[in-house]
Amino acid sequence: MASPILLLLSLILFSVFSLSSPIPAETIGDAADILADSGYLSMSLILEAVSNTLLPNSSYLTIFAPADGAFVRSGQPSLSLLQFHFSLLPLPLETLKSLPYAAKIPTLFATHSLTVTTSPSDDRISLNNLMITGSPIFDDGLLIIHGIDQFFDPNFNASVPVQIPGSNLGCGFSTENGTVAFSGDYSFRQASGVLRSSGYSVMAEFLDVQVPENKERTMMTVFAPVDEAMLNRIGNFSEYSSIFLRHIVPCRLLWNDLVKFDDGTALVTYLEGFTINSTRCGDVLMLNGVPVFYPNMYISDWLVVHGLRKVLELPERSKEAVGVPSKENVPGNCEERAG
């Protein structure tokens, strides 16, 4: 029989998913009207045209809308170029401003990401060296639309300062007695709040319910699956511990650390025998074949949280025996995995 804590967690998860739904048609219509009245008539017409056919069944959507002048200069864009301006992440200005230089924002154009080309200390925000123009055109928490003056270049490449992976990563298992010294709050309270506000409520509940205060002061990186990816896990109490432990690494790994790893680099997790393998799919960073969807969602001096599109699965051949995911368990082509 499930414990009261697990039953409580199950009820919380059910409430999370029962409230999660695709963006309402009324919201799309309101956004299209505001776009049309703000100098973005072309994107207004496109949004109305694709809302019933091409937009994914997602609870969140961010659009980077080129102004009408961009369409005059460049002509009708291709479908893939349009997809390059849509992301399934909720990206208000404060979130964009918090992302580090060279962080990748996944888009609907498979294996292609936008690149952050400003730092959190800058006053303005640019992606692929194009500035976001002022305040959002539309933002109701589910659908967010930012204005830009031109189309993004899918072939853009940002220069990233060379760093050596492993230098000062703060791995808990590589320090004396497995712990390190640092200052500040050792609880998960702030991280849980950020997770909930960004569509990762399930992992926030795991942090709150299953993890006590970090009294050992161990460095950690949490790879958090988005809420939609956890939908079919509700009620499967026996799997909760495994899911949580295999998404935590006893190191503090920022985005700039992750992107410098060679393909095949293995990260040891808290689930005995389970490792996370880092590879590249185009310019998308993949962990066991799962795209990193929201880099550096939360950062403190001992904890980093990155968002994932899917759950890191156990090997299909033997989910009772924990091990490294085999190639048979990963979709066959790069675009399937990154899409």
Side-chain angles (χ1 to χ4, degrees), residues 170-173 178-179 188 214 216-222 241-251 267-276 302 322:
C171 295
F173 50 72
T179 60
F188 294 90
N214 186 16
E216 296 296 326
R217 306 184 184 183
T218 302
M219 295 288 188
M220 291 184 185
T221 298
V222 176
S241 177
S242 171
I243 290 175
F244 181 74
L245 292 176
R246 66 179 181 258
H247 288 82
I248 301 181
V249 173
C251 294
L267 306 175
V268 177
T269 71
Y270 275 93
L271 184 61
E272 185 177 357
F274 186 85
T275 57
I276 299 173
W302 63 274
V322 178

Side-chain angles (χ1 to χ4, degrees), residues 91-234:
L91 296 169
L93 275 178
E94 56 268 24
T95 297
L96 288 174
K97 188 172 178 57
S98 70
L99 295 175
Y101 177 83
K104 299 291 185 179
I105 297 174
T107 71
L108 296 185
F109 185 12
T111 75
H112 286 72
S113 299
L114 297 171
T115 303
V116 177
T117 45
T118 46
S119 67
S121 61
D122 294 327
D123 292 332
R124 299 184 64 188
I125 303 162
S126 78
L127 306 175
N128 288 26
N129 275 345
L130 285 184
M131 287 291 179
I132 303 298
T133 56
S135 300
I137 302 167
F138 184 89
D139 183 355
D140 72 344
L142 301 178
L143 174 61
I144 303 168
I145 304 178
H146 300 286
I148 52 178
D149 291 331
Q150 304 176 45
F151 288 102
F152 289 127
D153 178 7
N155 297 315
F156 174 82
N157 287 306
S159 59
V160 181
V162 176
Q163 297 180 3
I164 302 175
S167 61
N168 194 28
L169 294 183
C171 295
F173 50 72
S174 66
T175 58
E176 185 177 358
N177 298 323
T179 60
V180 292
F182 54 89
S183 61
D185 183 5
Y186 311 136
S187 77
F188 294 90
R189 190 180 309 109
Q190 289 184 346
S192 296
V194 172
L195 282 162
R196 287 190 180 87
S197 66
S198 304
Y200 296 80
S201 299
V202 176
M203 281 301 284
E205 296 302 333
F206 277 127
L207 288 175
D208 288 343
V209 175
Q210 298 201 28
V211 180
E213 299 286 312
N214 186 16
K215 296 178 181 178
E216 296 296 326
R217 306 184 184 183
T218 302
M219 295 288 188
M220 291 184 185
T221 298
V222 176
F223 298 103
V226 70
D227 283 343
E228 286 84 352
M230 298 291 290
L231 181 59
N232 62 351
R233 314 292 169 139
I234 298 175

Side-chain angles (χ1 to χ4, degrees), residues 12-138:
I12 294 170
L13 299 188
F14 179 79
S15 66
V16 168
F17 289 117
S18 63
L19 295 175
S20 178
S21 61
I23 298 171
E26 294 82 2
T27 299
I28 297 292
D30 291 343
D33 290 342
I34 293 175
L35 280 168
D37 293 337
S38 305
Y40 298 85
L41 177 60
S42 297
M43 282 301 292
S44 171
L45 297 173
I46 288 171
L47 179 59
E48 290 183 317
V50 305
S51 61
N52 293 326
T53 55
L54 296 182
L55 294 184
N57 188 23
S58 173
S59 298
Y60 300 101
L61 182 66
T62 298
I63 301 173
F64 299 97
D68 287 339
F71 288 83
V72 174
R73 291 187 296 270
S74 303
Q76 182 61 34
S78 65
L79 174 60
S80 59
L81 182 57
L82 284 175
Q83 291 174 321
F84 194 47
H85 293 73
F86 288 71
S87 176
L88 298 184
L89 289 176
L91 296 169
L93 275 178
E94 56 268 24
T95 297
L96 288 174
K97 188 172 178 57
S98 70
L99 295 175
Y101 177 83
K104 299 291 185 179
I105 297 174
T107 71
L108 296 185
F109 185 12
T111 75
H112 286 72
S113 299
L114 297 171
T115 303
V116 177
T117 45
T118 46
S119 67
S121 61
D122 294 327
D123 292 332
R124 299 184 64 188
I125 303 162
S126 78
L127 306 175
N128 288 26
N129 275 345
L130 285 184
M131 287 291 179
I132 303 298
T133 56
S135 300
I137 302 167
F138 184 89

Side-chain angles (χ1 to χ4, degrees), residues 297-315:
M297 185 191 314
Y298 175 83
I299 301 173
S300 73
D301 56 359
W302 63 274
L303 175 66
V304 180
V305 180
H306 305 286
L308 301 181
R309 251 187 187 172
K310 300 178 182 177
V311 175
L312 299 176
E313 301 287 2
L314 294 175

